[in-house]
Amino acid sequence: CINSRLPCCRQCVDALSTSPLYKSTNAMDRNSLSSIISSAVRNCGFEFYGGPRKNASAIIRKHPAAWLEPLQIVAVEGAREGQVSYRIAMQLLEAADRQTVIDPETAWKKLELDALEILGTIAVAEGVTGIGKVEISPSLLSVTNHGEAAMEVECVISTQFCI
């Protein structure tokens, strides 16, 4: 296992991490992937929030905002090491104050380009092996009741894992 691309167990990870030749296993868990998503979202100028959708309206306070629902494992290849795929569901929100009516088409165009930029950043992150089943669609219903323009972003992100 020590000579393979990914170590097969915690003992091997520990042994490798203390080695002066250790660089990275590229193994990723859900917290690491959430951190990558958060960083990509913030680099695009959005405030990052997450959790069950029902909590969004009470939590989101700054805009533009991104709401990430809890990650879901949709596929696993391998037993102790291999690839795990997570379903990502996120909503990008562009604020509208109560006095101004925003043009949904203009807001959706911007949010669509932002979504593509965010996914592009995630795609090249260390440990991410692929992004597929991408769906980006405008939504008339946002996760809050504040009247924002919303863009739904769904995809499957594949990463390496090692247990």
Side-chain angles (χ1 to χ4, degrees):
C1 160
I2 294 288
N3 294 322
S4 72
R5 207 172 99 205
L6 283 175
C8 67
C9 61
R10 285 278 174 229
Q11 185 177 5
C12 293
V13 169
D14 292 342
L16 276 174
S17 64
T18 59
S19 165
L21 301 176
Y22 175 75
K23 289 188 180 174
S24 172
T25 63
N26 292 332
M28 185 178 299
D29 61 17
R30 69 186 306 107
N31 293 334
S32 299
L33 181 55
S34 289
S35 179
I36 287 171
I37 295 168
S38 171
S39 180
V41 163
R42 289 177 196 276
N43 287 342
C44 203
F46 288 80
E47 287 295 316
F48 180 78
Y49 302 93
R53 188 176 274 236
K54 66 180 181 174
N55 300 339
S57 192
I59 295 173
I60 294 175
R61 296 287 175 239
K62 286 182 78 177
H63 290 84
W67 184 267
L68 178 66
E69 293 181 31
L71 308 181
Q72 298 175 353
I73 293 177
V74 294
V76 177
E77 296 176 20
R80 298 197 57 78
E81 66 179 84
Q83 191 163 280
V84 62
S85 297
Y86 292 94
R87 180 187 162 276
I88 306 303
M90 180 169 51
Q91 196 171 70
L92 301 179
L93 306 166
E94 187 66 47
D97 64 39
R98 304 256 179 211
Q99 315 309 321
T100 308
V101 176
I102 58 173
D103 173 31
E105 286 299 326
T106 303
W108 289 335
K109 179 180 177 182
K110 179 196 176 304
L111 291 171
E112 188 175 88
L113 293 172
D114 290 338
L116 292 171
E117 182 178 338
I118 290 166
L119 291 176
T121 300
I122 295 167
V124 297
E126 185 175 352
V128 173
T129 58
I131 296 182
K133 298 184 181 178
V134 176
E135 292 183 27
I136 301 172
S137 56
S139 177
L140 293 174
L141 301 172
S142 77
V143 293
T144 75
N145 56 3
H146 305 301
E148 307 97 339
M151 184 67 65
E152 298 280 345
V153 181
E154 294 186 11
C155 64
V156 174
I157 298 177
S158 298
T159 67
Q160 298 172 341
F161 80 92
C162 175
I163 55 172

